[in-house]
């Protein structure tokens, strides 16, 4: 299962933020953001960040709203 931080980052991925953007918003390094994204990809058993977002939406893990 995803951690609260991973949920937060997944929501940011859905908005199209890059690792650098995520790092800036959360005040973490770009590398740490990338590590979180890689962890999300691994946990959701997908191949990339786009598929992670799609899968998360389909599974109801995140919602896409303005």
């Amino acid at each position: 299962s995803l951690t609260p931080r991973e949920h937060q980052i997944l929501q940011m991925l859905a908005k199209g933020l890059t690792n650098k953007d995520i790092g800036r918003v959360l005040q973490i390094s770009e590398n740490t953001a990338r590590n979180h994204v890689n962890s999300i990809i691994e946990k959701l058993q997908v191949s990339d960040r786009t598929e992670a977002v799609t899968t998360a939406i389909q599974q109801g893990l995140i919602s896409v709203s303005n």
Side-chain angles (χ1 to χ4, degrees), residues 13-51:
L13 291 178
K15 293 179 181 175
L17 272 67
T18 64
N19 292 344
K20 189 172 188 173
D21 295 333
I22 292 168
R24 192 176 307 116
V25 170
L26 298 179
Q27 298 182 331
I28 59 177
S29 75
E30 184 177 350
N31 286 340
T32 300
R34 186 185 69 235
N35 289 341
H36 282 300
V37 172
N38 288 339
S39 178
I40 291 165
I41 288 170
E42 186 176 314
K43 287 180 178 182
L44 294 180
Q45 299 178 348
V46 295
S47 58
D48 59 37
R49 58 201 295 138
T50 303
E51 191 178 359

